[in-house]
Each structure stands twice: as structure tokens, then as C-alpha cells.
Amino acid sequence: MLVRTPLRFAGNISLTDSIDGGDGADTVTAELDTATVHQFGTLTNVEVLTLDYTAAGTFKANNISATTVNVTVSDGAETNVDIDNLATGITVDLENDDINNVALDYVDTKDATATIRFSTGTTVGAGTLTVTDAQTVNLQSHGGATHPGCAVTMMQLTLIFLTSLRRLLVRI
């Protein structure tokens, strides 16, 4: 389906959902409202994907073209975030103080690079951040708030870079 954005999926995301954003800058927002596995069939020509976790579900990032994945929680409850099969080149923006524990699993390519931003003017405290299969991890702090940070666990890590435009506390 060729779409013009913004496009919002409320609830069920499934392998039968194939989205083509076409030309231009496109944004798709998907609500993960059940503690199950969610995955698009394909998501092409969409530059920004926003995942709104209202339940502790898992999102499989297979077959997505987005260069930025914004992660938020809109229901006001602390929620765990799990994203699997992220490709190198996708920036993950953690954008809400109700994000609790975050697990990011990258496609194991021997040189995968993760870029994770603690973003916006809202304080983001991610609890525990676990990054798997990324050899290089870039942690960045942006926005107007002080981010209390998180305990970080890195699997198969070679390099870590910290960039803080505001205060960011990281326990490794």
C-alpha cells in the first residue's frame, strides 16, 4: 500500500501489513498494545518509525527502511521495550520517562553499529539498557532535560562512544 504520512497503526501490527511511503519524508506511528511479537511484512521508503509501547511487547525490525526509530510510552505506565533485528544505520531515540527496561538486539553482522539517543526535553531514565550483537555503540544525550540514564549491558561490544549535550549517567 502506497501511503502519505503521517500514518498511525493502533493495535495490531502483523506480517500482512506492507507499507511503502513513496517519495519524500515519511513517518509511521505504531502502537504496541499487547505483550506479543509485532512485525511489519515490509516497511519501505519510510524514514521515521515511532513505536508507542502501551504494553511490554517485542517489535521485530526485519524489513524496515526507517533510519530513525522513536520509542515512546503514551499510557503513563512504566513499560519494558524490546526491539529485535535492528540493522546498522538505524538510530533509536528513547523519548519518554515511562520507558523502563530497554533491550535492543542488532543483526549480527560482525560490524553492527548502534546509535541510541536519550532525546527530547523530557527526562528519560531507561532502567536497564541491554544491547546485543552491536560491536560499536554510540550513546547520545540530547534535549533540554537531565537524563538519569541507566545500567548498560553490552554483548559482543568492541567500542563505546558517549556524547552528552546534557547530563547523562551511565553505569556499565
Side-chain angles (χ1 to χ4, degrees), residues 8 14 25 31 33-35 40 62 102 106-107 115 117 121 123 141:
R8 181 167 181 85
S14 72
E31 180 182 344
D33 65 350
T34 57
F40 286 105
N62 304 52
V102 178
Y106 283 76
V107 176
T115 300
R117 288 192 296 219
T123 299
S141 174

Side-chain angles (χ1 to χ4, degrees), residues 12-166:
N12 190 30
I13 303 167
S14 72
L15 288 170
T16 60
D17 296 324
S18 292
I19 308 299
D20 183 346
D23 293 335
D26 301 300
T27 300
V28 169
T29 298
E31 180 182 344
L32 282 69
D33 65 350
T34 57
T36 59
V37 176
H38 303 267
Q39 179 180 348
F40 286 105
T42 57
L43 186 71
T44 57
N45 298 310
V46 172
E47 290 71 27
V48 178
L49 173 63
T50 297
L51 298 176
D52 180 9
Y53 279 80
T54 58
T58 298
F59 180 77
K60 288 193 172 186
N62 304 52
N63 302 317
I64 68 167
S65 66
T67 55
T68 301
V69 175
N70 299 321
V71 179
T72 190
V73 175
S74 67
D75 68 355
E78 287 191 355
T79 303
N80 294 342
V81 169
D82 185 356
I83 304 175
D84 296 338
N85 301 322
L86 284 159
T88 291
I90 297 176
T91 298
V92 176
D93 282 345
L94 304 176
E95 297 187 338
N96 189 279
D97 64 343
D98 290 324
I99 295 171
N100 194 17
N101 297 312
V102 178
L104 303 175
D105 181 32
Y106 283 76
V107 176
D108 189 8
T109 61
K110 305 291 184 234
D111 62 351
T113 298
T115 300
I116 303 156
R117 288 192 296 219
F118 294 82
S119 299
T120 74
T122 302
T123 299
V124 175
T128 299
L129 172 63
T130 302
V131 180
T132 306
D133 293 328
Q135 284 67 45
T136 302
V137 176
N138 299 294
L139 294 178
Q140 301 172 350
S141 174
H142 293 274
T146 298
H147 304 294
C150 53
V152 178
T153 303
M154 307 288 176
M155 310 293 193
Q156 296 84 34
L157 177 66
T158 304
L159 296 169
I160 186 167
F161 298 95
L162 300 175
T163 305
S164 182
L165 302 178
R166 296 289 293 166

